[in-house]
Amino acid sequence: MTQRNRTDRHRRTGAAAGGLAAALTALALLAGGCTEATGGVRGTPGAAGLRDPYFPKLGNGGYDVGRYALTLAYDPGTGRLDGTAEITARATQDLSAFNLDLAGLAVDRASVDGAPAAVNRAGNELTLRPREEIREGAEFRTTVVYGGVPEPITDADGSEEGWLRTGDGVVAVGEPAGSMTWFPGNHHPSDKAVYELRLTVPAGLEGISNGTRTGRRTGADGRVTTEWRTTEPMASYLATVAIGRYETATAVANGSATATGTPDATATGTSAPDGSPAPDGSSAPDGIPVLTAAERPVAARTAALRGEIPEIIARQARRFGPYPFSSAGAIVTVDGTLGYALETQTRPVFPAASFDRTTLVHELAHQWFGNSVSPASWRDLWLNEGFATYAEWLYTEEYEGVPARTHFERALAQEANWAFPPAAPPAAENLFDPPVYQRGAMVLYKLRETVGDRTFDEILRGWPAKYRHANASTDDFTAYAESVAGRDLDQLWDVWLYGEEKPAAAS
C-alpha cells in the first residue's frame, strides 16, 4: 500500500508468530464450556476473534479456510449486492459452532455440508451452529447466501475501505478489514486461502478481480459474467473487485521462473467477435500473463506505464527471486473514490493520480513482500511496507542513479519517521504512518550496510523463498537474517527496529 495519512494513504511488529499461535490455542480452550455431543464429540465454539494486537475481534478461531468460492451479482443503480459464499475449511478443534466476519449485509440462509445451520448475528460476528458437531481435522463446507447494500468501513486513521461505490460501479479494497463488507470469511491475514469468483454485472460494464480470468460470457439478459481463479493462497484483505467501464490490455512478463498454476486462458490480447478475449489463447510456457484494466477516461494516459509492468516484474524477479504468482497486472480507477493505491494480489489497484512509476514499483514489490509472505499479525506490517519502500530505493539506485544512501539520509532527517519504532506502532491508527514505511526501509538499509551487499542480497532473495505463500513475523525475519549472516544482530534491531529515539550517529 502507498503510505497513508489522515485523508490519504501513501505506503506500513514486535509480536512473534508464536505469540499469535499461543493466542489461538488459548482462545480455542476458553471459547466455551465443553458439551458432550450425541456422537461423542466434545465440541466447543470457535473463538470469535484472534486477539490481533490492533484488531482483537478480527478473524476467527477453530478452523482454517482452504478455499472461497464467491458468486456475486451487483446492480450499480440500486447499489445492491447479492452473494453466495461457499467456504471450504478444516477444523482445528472439535467444533460445536464457529464464526465468520461479515459487516452489514443480511444473511438469507446458511448450511454446513448441505444441512441447514442455525445463524446468529451480533455486529460483525456471524455465528453458525451446524446440525452435527465437526470433528477436529475434518474438512467441511459452509454455504452462506446473503445480500444488501454494502457500506464502507472508516478506519481508525479516517480513510475508507471496503465496497466503495463509483459513478457507474464499484472498487472493493480490504486493508485491513474491508473485505468483510462484501463477503463472509475468516478475515485475518493469518488465514490464507485460494479463491474462485464469479461476478455478474450489467451490460456495458466489466468486472475485474484477482488472479486468472477463466471465463467471460454474456447472458440472454445482456448481463456479463466473468470468472476468476486465484490458485495461490491469498489473505482476504488482498481480494479485490472492480466494476465499471474498463479497457483492458494483455501482455506477458518473464518472472525468471516458470509461472505456477494455470496460465490465463484469455491473456494473449486476441479478441473474439464480441470484443471479449478469445478463450483459446495461452501465454508463453515460461511467461506470466499480465492483464491490466483502466477506466475509460484514464485508459489512454495510463497505457504506457501499464505497458512497463512486464519489465518491472522481470527486474524485481532478478533481485527478489521468482515472481510468486501465476498472473499479474494492475487496475487503474478514475480519481475521486479511492484515495490510495493498494497491493491487491496479482492486480494492484491505483487511483489515476497515484499511478506513477515509484508507486507502481512499490505495489508490485508487495507481491513478494506482503502478498506471498504475509504478516503473522498486523503488528508485523513493517515487513510489508518496509520492504516495498526499500524496493523503491533499490529501483532508483539501479535504474535512475540515485543511491539508496540518499534515500536513507533523507528519511533519517525527517522527524516524523521517529514517532515510534516500526516494529511497534502504538495503535491501529498508526499502522500506515511514516515510521512503518520509511523507518522500516531504514532497517533494511542498515542491515545491508552491516552484513554487506552479498549477504544482504542472499537475505533479500531467501526471505520470500523461505516463507513463500505463508505467514511470517518480525521474530521470524530477525532470526532468518541472523542465520544467513551467521552472527548476532541484536544491536542493529535494538536501535533501528525497536529503538524509541533517533540514534546520535547513523553510520
Side-chain angles (χ1 to χ4, degrees):
M1 173 183 286
T2 55
Q3 180 183 329
R4 56 176 170 181
N5 53 37
R6 292 287 184 257
T7 59
D8 188 30
R9 304 185 194 187
H10 195 68
R11 309 296 174 211
R12 305 182 199 210
T13 152
L20 183 61
L24 289 172
T25 302
L27 282 166
L29 295 172
L30 297 173
C34 294
T35 57
E36 188 72 33
T38 56
V41 177
R42 295 180 61 85
T44 60
L50 295 183
R51 292 185 179 174
D52 185 272
Y54 304 104
F55 306 98
K57 295 183 179 180
L58 198 62
N60 304 283
Y63 64 94
D64 287 325
V65 178
R67 172 180 172 270
Y68 290 94
L70 306 176
T71 300
L72 307 176
Y74 184 62
D75 181 353
T78 64
R80 181 173 178 83
L81 175 70
D82 289 292
T84 298
E86 293 185 0
I87 305 168
T88 304
R90 189 171 299 278
T92 58
Q93 65 177 72
D94 293 334
L95 281 173
S96 61
F98 60 93
N99 280 35
L100 298 170
D101 303 314
L102 181 65
L105 301 174
V107 174
D108 181 47
R109 61 188 182 276
S111 63
V112 176
D113 289 333
V119 178
N120 182 61
R121 188 69 174 271
N124 296 335
E125 295 292 336
L126 187 67
T127 303
L128 277 64
R129 185 173 293 276
R131 180 175 294 177
E132 300 289 338
E133 292 184 340
I134 303 167
R135 290 184 180 274
E136 180 179 359
E139 184 177 271
F140 62 99
R141 187 182 76 257
T142 302
T143 302
V144 181
V145 180
Y146 62 99
V149 178
E151 295 293 336
I153 290 174
T154 300
D155 292 332
D157 65 2
S159 58
E160 283 194 336
E161 58 166 317
W163 192 265
L164 307 176
R165 295 180 69 174
T166 64
D168 57 6
V170 71
V171 58
V173 291
E175 189 174 28
S179 292
M180 67 178 172
T181 66
W182 57 282
F183 69 95
N186 198 5
H187 290 297
H188 188 273
S190 61
D191 193 3
K192 301 167 74 169
V194 300
Y195 282 71
E196 293 180 7
L197 186 144
R198 181 180 294 110
L199 179 61
T200 300
V201 299
L205 302 183
E206 289 290 338
I208 312 294
S209 190
N210 311 83
T212 300
R213 184 169 61 183
T214 57
R216 184 186 186 278
R217 64 184 182 275
T218 302
D221 59 359
R223 295 196 302 169
V224 177
T225 299
T226 51
E227 297 177 358
W228 302 84
R229 181 180 298 139
T230 301
T231 55
E232 299 89 7
M234 178 168 71
S236 65
Y237 80 89
L238 297 169
T240 191
V241 164
I243 298 169
R245 301 184 188 279
Y246 282 89
E247 293 186 9
T248 62
T250 59
V252 174
N254 177 6
S256 296
T258 300
T260 58
T262 303
D264 188 340
T266 67
T268 62
T270 305
S271 295
D274 66 353
S276 63
D280 58 349
S282 62
S283 66
D286 61 348
I288 295 163
V290 178
L291 186 151
T292 65
E295 288 194 87
R296 290 178 185 172
V298 298
R301 66 184 172 94
T302 62
L305 184 55
R306 286 187 285 132
E308 292 185 26
I309 290 175
E311 180 184 2
I312 294 172
I313 287 175
R315 288 174 168 179
Q316 292 184 328
R318 288 194 288 270
R319 290 303 301 262
F320 309 146
Y323 180 76
F325 301 110
S326 54
S327 59
I331 299 169
V332 186
T333 71
V334 296
D335 295 321
T337 300
L338 187 64
Y340 48 89
L342 187 66
E343 64 270 20
T344 44
Q345 191 158 306
T346 70
R347 200 153 286 116
V349 179
F350 305 81
S354 296
F355 191 61
D356 55 70
R357 188 171 289 100
T358 298
T359 307
L360 179 58
V361 166
H362 182 103
E363 306 304 343
L364 290 177
H366 272 307
Q367 306 309 308
W368 285 263
F369 307 108
N371 295 9
S372 178
V373 184
S374 299
S377 81
W378 284 110
R379 181 171 286 162
D380 302 305
L381 190 59
W382 83 272
L383 289 169
N384 296 19
E385 301 302 344
F387 269 100
T389 302
Y390 192 73
E392 297 176 38
W393 297 7
L394 285 177
Y395 186 87
T396 60
E397 181 174 71
E398 293 180 21
Y399 303 108
E400 297 179 6
V402 180
R405 178 75 188 184
T406 300
H407 294 288
F408 172 81
E409 290 174 347
R410 290 171 180 168
L412 184 69
Q414 295 171 4
E415 291 303 318
N417 292 331
W418 300 95
F420 55 83
E429 67 187 64
N430 305 115
L431 280 178
F432 306 101
D433 283 357
V436 178
Y437 293 74
Q438 299 296 320
R439 195 167 158 194
M442 294 168 72
V443 171
L444 298 174
Y445 178 86
K446 295 301 293 186
L447 176 61
R448 175 184 176 183
E449 188 177 68
T450 301
V451 302
D453 283 359
R454 187 170 184 174
T455 299
F456 180 76
D457 286 346
E458 185 179 348
I459 293 170
L460 198 61
R461 291 177 64 89
W463 171 249
K466 180 176 176 64
Y467 289 94
R468 184 179 175 93
H469 303 315
N471 294 84
S473 69
T474 296
D475 283 357
D476 290 327
F477 175 72
T478 56
Y480 176 75
E482 290 182 350
S483 71
V484 174
R487 56 189 286 197
D488 183 288
L489 298 171
D490 281 353
Q491 185 175 1
L492 170 65
W493 313 133
D494 288 346
V495 173
W496 296 96
L497 187 55
Y498 296 109
E500 294 285 349
E501 297 180 358
K502 181 177 178 180
S507 59

